[in-house]
Amino acid sequence: MFIDGCFWHRCEEHVQLPQANAELWRRKLLANRQRDARNQAILTTEGWRVLRSWEHDDPAAVADRGEDELDRWAAIVGRPQGQGRE
């Protein structure tokens, strides 16, 4: 699970590039997004389930989503739901 910061990962909702060195920042933040996509593709290819959220997302909803994914995995491997988590 990744929680992406709005500035560093260039959230489309909150993107606000600095005025100073705008082109440098545009390239830097675009490179961050490209790296994120590349790393996610690698993880997915290796069988990982990747969950991404933004820093502005509701923390409870993000946690629920993570728990739902863990429960799905528990069902796949045959562990009773909710067991092994506090």
Side-chain angles (χ1 to χ4, degrees):
M1 176 173 266
F2 293 92
I3 309 295
D4 294 333
C6 291
F7 176 76
W8 291 108
H9 299 271
R10 201 170 178 187
C11 164
E12 295 299 325
E13 257 182 78
H14 301 112
V15 66
Q16 199 168 14
L17 294 175
Q19 298 298 314
N21 297 318
E23 183 58 23
L24 173 125
W25 283 107
R26 187 192 69 73
R27 285 193 318 265
K28 167 67 177 151
L29 299 179
L30 178 60
N32 287 352
R33 293 284 298 263
Q34 290 169 336
R35 186 195 63 232
D36 291 344
R38 191 172 51 250
N39 290 340
Q40 183 165 330
I42 291 167
L43 289 168
T44 301
T45 299
E46 293 180 0
W48 289 90
R49 172 86 163 102
V50 177
L51 303 177
R52 295 197 93 87
S53 297
W54 289 104
E55 68 175 304
H56 64 260
D57 290 340
D58 175 55
V62 171
D64 287 346
R65 189 172 161 224
E67 285 185 7
D68 290 346
E69 203 56 42
L70 288 172
D71 286 343
R72 274 191 211 94
W73 178 249
I76 291 168
V77 298
R79 191 182 80 216
Q81 292 184 354
Q83 213 174 25
R85 284 188 293 156
E86 307 217 4

